[in-house]
Amino acid sequence: MVLEQERVLAVSPAAQAAGVQLGMRRGGVLMLMPEARLYQRTPEREADALHVVAMALLQYTPLVAQAEESVLLIDIGASLRLFGGIRALCRRIAANMQALGFSAVLSCAPTARGAWLLARHRGGRVLKMPALARRLDRLPGGLAPPARPFSAWFEGLGCHSLGDMRRLPRPGLQRRCGRALLDMLDAAYGMAPELFDWIEAPTTFQAHLELFDRVENAEALLFGARRLLLQMTGWLCARQLAVERITLQLEHERGRVARPPTLIDIVLAEPTWRDEHLVRLLKERLAKQTLEAPVIGLRLEALQVQPMEPPSESLFPEPGGSEEDQLRLLELLAARLGADNVLQATPQADYRPELANAWVSVQNKIRQAAIKAQMPPDVLSLPRPAWLLAKPVALLMRNHRPFYGSPLKMVSTPERIEAGWWSQSQTRDYFIAEGQDHAHYWVYRERIVGGAEDAEPRWFLHGLFG
């Protein structure tokens, strides 16, 4: 339960079942529930919670404003079709609230002030103005903050609802209650324009979360990490950015036993602004993480971002998924198996086949310009085999012909490759050879530089064709 000035401000369902009511004093609460957990209201923490929710809601619309009494207003008129309609959007927002660890009352109306009044009275969805007017007419008049100081006067007149207030003479109502009440009613019923100060996302993102208890299992941190990721998703959408690298800091005890935070660095092969993929990556990394000390806080930071580039949909989707799906799979494998165990090929500036390629981690980004700079000039060459042996295999010679299971017959003209410096220089003549089983091989003849005229060259198998 939450107390303000020693009176109950908010109660849980269990406390309500025990008989605790709003406005009850601390002593009465402890008589009914001696085991009750009481908390004093903290406006600073409420403001932080509203900021967290507002940052997460920015993923649906950049028009998010803070209103009175812990209410957030969002203009979702332009987002309904994108998110599949009002029902689907409300389900997504409710799921986000649950993931953030908050309970919320959702309402929807053609006017912002109308949605505010519905939210203060158990919520609801109204899509048309006539239906909104009927719903608002039945709401209690005390929901409007400008009318609360005059509640006794309204009761004396028999005005118990907003509809009753609207039927009163406007000049007399303005003289008695001021202009604020009329302005609020006009805005709620769509008779006056509404102006708001929309929340602006900061230029950089860094979010912090204090945990309620010391956590000693890394996998138990996923709930808090997802809460931070939801805020970052809203920030990315508001700034029209995609993230390339994030860092999650696991903060440990302070004071005498202070330890530096544990860093979890995630580098993405393809920039993203969606939280689902980042949650999967963090889940894999946390499952492998061993905590050296209990964690008391989390801090998430977006280190590298770039402008968002939404993918263009194709009329005929490629089989096996898009390039973005393939990159996400590689990132998930790297998070599960380790970055050093998921490798990609990168070309090297060398004509020797065994040195023309190097294997590096998939987290190393290779630009297309760098690949082209390493490639040799376009020259006419023989086809290359799909399977290149790690080490060439020396072939036997029978009747002056190389032998590999059967005598090999050369079916191509030679391709000479000369490369290397000084003692590492190599001169080879490559051929495509065919065996009696019609299998094709990539073989080469090693030229003996400076050898005698009767020196017989050696043959090697270097690759196999499919």
Side-chain angles (χ1 to χ4, degrees):
M1 281 166 285
V2 180
L3 302 181
E4 184 180 25
Q5 298 180 355
E6 296 300 315
R7 291 185 178 273
V8 176
L9 180 65
V11 297
S12 64
Q16 285 183 338
V20 178
Q21 299 179 0
L22 297 179
M24 186 176 291
R25 292 186 176 274
R26 177 193 291 266
V29 172
L30 294 178
M31 288 182 60
L32 295 174
M33 290 186 67
E35 72 281 3
R37 300 178 64 178
L38 305 178
Y39 299 95
Q40 288 293 332
R41 184 181 185 183
T42 309
E44 294 79 9
R45 296 189 65 179
E46 291 183 7
D48 293 341
L50 280 175
H51 176 73
V52 168
V53 176
M55 291 295 295
L57 292 178
L58 286 174
Q59 63 182 294
Y60 302 109
T61 173
L63 304 179
V64 179
Q66 183 174 344
E68 307 92 342
E69 302 181 4
S70 302
V71 175
L72 289 173
L73 302 173
I74 62 175
D75 186 354
I76 47 89
S79 307
L80 287 179
R81 187 172 182 182
L82 176 62
F83 294 102
I86 186 63
R87 294 179 183 271
L89 183 58
C90 289
R91 285 195 296 268
R92 292 189 58 166
I93 293 177
N96 289 157
M97 294 301 102
Q98 185 178 5
L100 290 172
F102 298 112
S103 58
V105 178
L106 301 181
S107 65
C108 179
T111 64
R113 189 57 67 179
W116 186 93
L117 290 170
L118 292 177
R120 298 300 298 166
H121 192 259
R122 299 191 294 272
R125 290 193 295 266
V126 180
L127 303 182
K128 302 294 184 180
M129 280 302 304
L132 175 63
R134 292 192 296 270
R135 286 285 298 273
L136 293 179
D137 285 343
R138 297 193 297 267
L139 295 182
L143 288 178
R148 292 171 189 170
F150 310 97
S151 58
W153 180 70
F154 281 116
E155 289 181 5
L157 294 178
C159 294
H160 304 290
S161 65
L162 296 180
D164 296 336
M165 293 182 183
R166 290 187 68 207
R167 285 187 284 270
L168 293 176
R170 290 176 64 90
L173 187 61
Q174 180 176 350
R175 286 193 301 268
R176 181 72 179 185
C177 303
R179 185 66 193 179
L181 179 58
L182 289 178
D183 290 342
M184 186 173 187
L185 292 176
D186 291 343
Y189 284 86
M191 300 172 60
E194 299 176 285
L195 300 178
F196 300 98
D197 293 328
W198 304 113
I199 296 175
E200 294 186 5
T203 56
T204 59
F205 179 81
Q206 186 176 5
H208 182 260
L209 175 64
E210 288 284 347
L211 301 180
F212 291 102
D213 200 357
R214 297 160 55 190
V215 178
E216 300 180 355
N217 184 8
E219 294 187 63
L221 300 173
L222 184 61
F223 175 81
R226 188 184 179 192
R227 176 174 175 175
L228 298 177
L229 285 174
L230 281 174
Q231 300 178 53
M232 188 184 71
T233 301
W235 176 80
L236 291 172
C237 293
R239 304 290 301 185
Q240 293 292 296
L241 296 174
V243 68
E244 294 181 306
R245 179 187 174 195
I246 63 174
T247 296
L248 180 66
Q249 298 183 19
L250 312 182
E251 299 178 349
H252 303 292
E253 294 282 355
R254 306 182 183 94
R256 290 184 179 179
V257 292
R259 301 178 62 93
T262 302
L263 299 181
I264 298 180
D265 195 23
I266 295 181
V267 181
L268 302 172
E270 183 74 12
T272 184
W273 59 91
R274 299 184 177 93
D275 62 307
E276 297 88 354
H277 180 55
L278 295 173
V279 168
R280 287 195 295 266
L281 292 179
L282 270 180
K283 183 178 180 180
E284 296 294 339
R285 292 292 298 273
L286 290 174
K288 297 170 54 180
Q289 187 73 36
T290 301
L291 297 180
E292 298 180 357
V295 178
I296 63 172
L298 301 174
R299 185 179 299 275
L300 182 67
E301 186 175 1
L303 298 179
Q304 294 180 8
V305 294
Q306 69 176 34
M308 180 190 299
E309 295 182 2
S312 59
E313 298 293 340
S314 174
L315 179 61
F316 301 103
E318 293 292 332
S322 62
E323 182 180 358
E324 186 181 48
D325 296 333
Q326 297 169 10
L327 291 174
R328 289 181 179 179
L329 175 61
L330 292 177
E331 292 169 357
L332 190 60
L333 290 175
R336 180 173 300 179
L337 305 177
D340 297 333
N341 297 321
V342 184
L343 307 177
Q344 63 177 333
T346 176
Q348 303 294 315
D350 202 306
Y351 283 95
R352 290 168 290 183
E354 63 270 22
L355 299 177
N357 175 69
W359 292 97
V360 298
S361 171
V362 293
Q363 292 187 349
N364 295 352
K365 293 194 173 183
I366 305 174
R367 304 297 180 186
Q368 196 65 27
I371 294 178
K372 292 182 178 180
Q374 295 292 334
M375 295 295 289
D378 292 335
V379 295
L380 185 62
S381 61
L382 293 177
R384 294 294 188 257
W387 183 0
L388 188 70
L389 301 182
K391 184 178 180 181
V393 177
L395 297 176
L396 299 175
M397 297 297 295
R398 293 185 181 179
N399 298 326
H400 305 285
R401 294 175 62 183
F403 187 90
Y404 187 73
S406 63
L408 299 180
K409 178 179 63 174
M410 305 302 130
V411 296
S412 70
T413 57
E415 176 189 1
R416 178 160 297 177
I417 295 180
E418 294 188 43
W421 292 92
W422 302 103
S423 60
Q424 296 182 353
S425 63
Q426 297 176 353
T427 305
R428 303 169 179 173
D429 291 334
Y430 278 86
F431 298 84
I432 297 179
E434 181 181 357
Q436 292 183 353
D437 56 354
H438 303 290
H440 289 76
Y441 307 92
W442 202 40
V443 300
Y444 70 84
R445 179 179 59 192
E446 190 178 59
R447 297 181 65 243
I448 303 176
V449 180
E453 294 182 359
D454 58 347
E456 186 172 352
R458 294 181 299 174
W459 288 82
F460 293 85
L461 173 66
H462 205 172
L464 296 88
F465 289 91

